[in-house]
Amino acid sequence: MKKFQYISAMILLVLGLASCESFIDNPPEDKISINDYFKTANDLDNYVKKFYVTLPGHGSALLPLSENNSDNLIVATPNSVLHGARAPQVGQWTSEWESIRSVNIFFDNLDQVQDDISAYAQFLGEAYFFRAWFYYAKLQKYGNVPIYDHQLFPGDEDLFKPSDPRTAVADFILSDLDSAHKYLGLKASTGNARLNKEAALAFQSQVALFEGTWQKYHAGTDFGTDGADPNKYLQKSIDAAEELMNGSYQVGIYSTGNPDTDYYTLFGLDNMSGVNEVLFYKIASTSEQMGHELQFYTTRRTRDMGITWSLVSSYLGKDGQPYDYMAVAQGTKGNDFLNQIAVDCDPRLHATVWIPGDLRVASSGQIFDRPFLEKGSEELCPTGFQVKKFSNPYSSGAGADFGGYSQTGRIYFRFAEVLLNYAEAKFELDGTVAYEALNMIRSRAGMPDFTVIPQQQYGAQQLDYGYAVSDALYAIRNERRVELALEGQRVDDYRRWAAASLFDGMRPLGYPFDQDDFLNPNGSASFTAMVNDDGLVDYFQTQMPNGYSFRPDQDYLSSIPSDELVLNPNLDQNPNW
């Protein structure tokens, strides 16, 4: 682990933090000049290693928490994006471009390297991947942004260039990923904690699906791009996925033959190095002060997270057919309801939501007895559906105090997502249902083969995307939601689908509350939840009586910081900001 996190203080100061002038005009004696640094393959290796540190970790349960700005999860305060309360950004976005400038320094100095390219091909591939990664974040957040393939200096004319169309940005990202795939080593040789060809293909399938569906569903709006060809990107997503599925790569679905537990186990592993499904992940290590708080917030506290009724009710029954959650909720409530759906429904539901009787902390024998509806700050579960996914009761961090004791791996790309990307892109492009790919995912969970279900059979659980979708596409999207729940994908999904109708004007709900689960020894109520007319927990009932107020003409993108528009008058603000 140390070899991937190591980079000297001198190099960080010179190449990451020092200004252009400080090492060009008057280089300090205790720092290395760029002209003296990029000489060997080892120099390039050390330089790109610092970008691994910038990749997001689990932190304080940041992965499930990131879906707070979707219809999958809430915390104690309504999300500002979903509620249309996000203010325009002020200041500059200089810090947001530091990583792109830094990786461009790498490319600008390649001609100084004296070693043969065969000695540094892996590091070159990593640089291409990281630039694609950094630019993809810009594409997701802002859409149109300027493309820079070299470092900028004060007075450079390109500092004042207008934004490039988002399709040009997407093309630039996909081109960089082509180059990354060319130069990176196979996962079999690099491992899955370092970038590899498999990860580059997985990322390419994700980016191309994102842009293809964005352009399809935002066509004719302020968020679309004139002349864009969605099918070009959908085909690129298919091509990348098929290369990974059919080529000589180390891929698969994690399965030990235990469908009731395999899906759950995957996300709580510390060491994921031997898991073929995990194409690229981040190692955590308490011995090197690189632990995190994930197990603290999934086995002991909650960080105020609660899974929504909307997500829970999207899981099918174990027979592969829609399950009538509302009918069950009318006669079975609280803990009894949780126990019933765990028995009746897709095992991935039990892997995602704590059920009474579940082992929380093995070392102390702690058992989950009821949701933390009545708890205070950082211990509250506002919906009754408490986050279980990513937990591991046998982890050294399970039940531990705050202090970075968790070592659970953070997955960036896994093969199941590639299969889902492929299935969606394939159907969007030519109407083909990729049954074989979808059945690989279903099989791990012990679910029946994928079938296309008429939407009316979903009953009260049927979602409204704001436009008509075919039964097959509805089922494919539902499978994606279930398989990738709380992994940070749902936000991008509703945005690229232009599907704010999923939650706009509605309040997120929880499970059917049972007062009998919250009684004092004398029989009086120890806690009473706010519920709606159906008896479902309605935590935001008073905070937003009219539901979310997402602004569909504005909130699909973020605003460009105001000072940037003054500094560069050639930039255009995003729609309706």
Side-chain angles (χ1 to χ4, degrees):
M1 185 62 194
K2 288 181 179 177
K3 69 179 182 179
F4 291 123
Q5 303 302 339
Y6 152 81
I7 187 164
S8 71
M10 284 195 299
I11 295 173
L12 273 174
L13 285 170
V14 176
L15 304 181
L17 302 177
S19 68
C20 301
E21 296 88 344
S22 68
F23 55 72
I24 293 175
D25 297 334
N26 186 25
E29 293 181 0
D30 62 343
K31 294 182 174 63
I32 304 170
S33 165
I34 277 186
N35 292 331
D36 296 328
Y37 180 71
F38 290 96
K39 299 297 185 183
T40 68
N42 188 61
D43 292 338
L44 299 182
D45 184 14
N46 287 333
Y47 190 83
V48 296
K49 280 174 183 172
K50 69 177 181 178
F51 297 120
Y52 281 89
V53 182
T54 69
L55 295 173
H58 272 305
S60 297
L62 296 180
L63 197 55
L65 185 67
S66 69
E67 296 211 347
N68 171 42
N69 57 346
S70 79
D71 55 344
N72 279 358
L73 182 138
I74 66 170
V75 293
T77 304
N79 181 265
S80 62
V81 177
L82 271 60
H83 202 34
R86 180 173 45 161
Q89 293 189 100
V90 297
Q92 301 178 26
W93 65 8
T94 305
S95 62
E96 294 188 58
W97 289 85
E98 286 179 354
S99 293
I100 289 176
R101 181 181 184 278
S102 187
V103 75
N104 279 338
I105 290 174
F106 176 100
F107 289 110
D108 286 353
N109 288 277
L110 280 177
D111 58 357
Q112 299 186 54
V113 180
Q114 298 167 1
D115 291 336
D116 185 79
I117 190 172
S118 61
Y120 63 83
Q122 171 70 22
F123 320 132
L124 179 58
E126 290 173 350
Y128 277 116
F129 186 100
F130 281 120
R131 188 165 66 181
W133 178 280
F134 300 139
Y135 255 109
Y136 187 45
K138 301 287 181 291
L139 179 71
Q140 293 168 300
K141 185 174 182 179
Y142 297 113
N144 303 341
V145 291
I147 297 174
Y148 298 115
D149 61 1
H150 60 279
Q151 63 179 312
L152 300 179
F153 297 97
D156 196 315
E157 290 183 358
D158 281 349
L159 287 169
F160 303 98
K161 69 176 293 188
S163 292
D164 290 286
R166 62 174 298 132
T167 48
V169 180
D171 292 343
F172 182 70
I173 294 168
L174 293 170
S175 176
D176 268 1
L177 290 174
D178 281 335
S179 297
H181 177 261
K182 175 181 177 181
Y183 293 112
L184 288 169
L186 290 164
K187 183 159 69 77
S189 60
T190 69
N192 58 357
R194 189 144 196 174
L195 287 167
N196 51 68
K197 289 185 184 294
E198 287 92 333
L201 289 170
F203 193 15
Q204 197 165 66
S205 78
Q206 182 184 107
V207 173
L209 176 64
F210 180 87
E211 190 60 19
T213 49
W214 181 286
Q215 293 297 346
K216 179 173 182 175
Y217 291 102
H218 288 284
T221 74
D222 289 341
F223 298 105
T225 304
D226 291 341
D229 179 9
N231 289 346
K232 178 183 79 169
Y233 298 105
L234 295 173
Q235 186 62 60
K236 185 68 171 178
S237 180
I238 293 168
D239 291 345
E242 287 184 335
E243 168 70 16
L244 190 55
M245 293 159 61
N246 302 323
S248 300
Y249 299 101
Q250 196 178 75
V251 296
I253 294 293
Y254 174 77
S255 175
T256 67
N258 295 298
D260 288 339
T261 59
D262 282 340
Y263 178 84
Y264 171 65
T265 300
L266 171 63
F267 302 99
L269 295 172
D270 288 354
N271 183 357
M272 299 177 173
S273 61
V275 180
N276 282 347
E277 180 171 347
V278 178
L279 307 180
F280 179 48
Y281 85 109
K282 189 168 194 170
I283 296 173
S285 170
T286 55
S287 64
E288 299 184 37
Q289 290 76 53
M290 295 174 60
H292 50 76
E293 313 295 343
L294 177 65
Q295 296 302 326
F296 177 69
Y297 283 118
T298 54
T299 66
R300 181 171 173 178
R301 292 191 181 180
T302 65
R303 209 180 172 191
D304 297 338
M305 297 181 292
I307 296 169
T308 64
W309 171 272
S310 175
L311 173 56
V312 168
S313 61
S314 66
Y315 289 81
L316 301 175
K318 283 185 177 177
D319 60 359
Q321 296 300 307
Y323 184 82
D324 195 341
Y325 289 85
M326 189 60 72
V328 175
Q330 296 311 302
T332 308
K333 301 183 182 299
N335 279 0
D336 290 340
F337 177 82
L338 293 173
N339 284 314
Q340 189 65 54
I341 62 176
V343 170
D344 293 346
C345 299
D346 186 330
R348 288 173 290 186
L349 174 56
H350 191 178
T352 305
V353 177
W354 284 108
I355 304 299
D358 283 348
L359 178 65
R360 287 171 53 208
V361 183
S363 61
S364 59
Q366 294 181 46
I367 303 297
F368 184 78
D369 58 355
R370 69 183 185 192
F372 298 178
L373 281 169
E374 83 284 18
K375 300 287 187 177
S377 176
E378 293 242 308
E379 294 184 299
L380 169 70
C381 173
T383 65
F385 297 122
Q386 195 159 318
V387 175
K388 177 183 178 182
K389 189 171 180 177
F390 308 107
S391 69
N392 179 353
Y394 299 96
S395 165
S396 60
D401 289 331
F402 187 90
Y405 296 107
S406 298
Q407 300 185 106
T408 310
R410 162 70 189 259
I411 301 172
Y412 299 117
F413 298 103
R414 62 186 182 96
F415 188 55
E417 185 211 334
V418 176
L419 297 175
L420 290 164
N421 294 345
Y422 173 75
E424 185 181 344
K426 188 68 175 168
F427 187 83
E428 289 282 14
L429 183 65
D430 60 22
T432 299
V433 178
Y435 288 104
E436 184 177 354
L438 294 166
N439 288 340
M440 289 178 66
I441 298 170
R442 285 282 188 93
S443 178
R444 184 247 304 279
M447 286 290 287
D449 285 350
F450 180 88
T451 58
V452 175
I453 302 168
Q455 289 174 61
Q456 63 268 22
Q457 292 187 19
Y458 290 86
Q461 280 92 247
Q462 183 178 355
L463 299 178
D464 177 12
Y465 286 100
Y467 49 83
V469 299
S470 69
D471 291 340
L473 182 58
Y474 188 97
I476 290 169
R477 287 183 177 183
N478 193 73
E479 189 68 25
R480 181 180 183 86
R481 185 183 194 184
V482 166
E483 175 67 23
L484 300 180
L486 308 185
E487 295 179 46
Q489 298 276 6
R490 186 64 175 176
V491 180
D492 289 332
D493 287 348
Y494 86 73
R495 290 172 60 241
R496 64 189 176 87
W497 294 334
S501 293
L502 291 169
F503 51 81
D504 190 27
M506 293 178 277
R507 288 195 303 272
L509 301 171
Y511 81 153
F513 179 72
D514 187 351
Q515 187 65 72
D516 288 344
D517 290 337
F518 294 87
L519 296 177
N520 293 312
N522 64 5
S524 62
S526 63
F527 168 79
T528 299
M530 287 187 293
V531 298
N532 71 355
D533 292 341
D534 293 314
L536 303 182
V537 171
D538 192 357
Y539 189 80
F540 289 152
Q541 189 175 97
T542 57
Q543 293 188 64
M544 49 180 214
N546 298 318
Y548 286 125
S549 301
F550 186 87
R551 299 166 296 194
D553 62 342
Q554 179 176 351
D555 283 323
Y556 284 119
L557 292 174
S558 296
S559 65
I560 296 174
S562 56
D563 286 2
E564 286 301 321
L565 300 173
V566 175
L567 292 169
N568 182 3
N570 293 315
L571 292 176
D572 292 324
Q573 184 57 281
N574 275 326
N576 299 304
W577 284 102

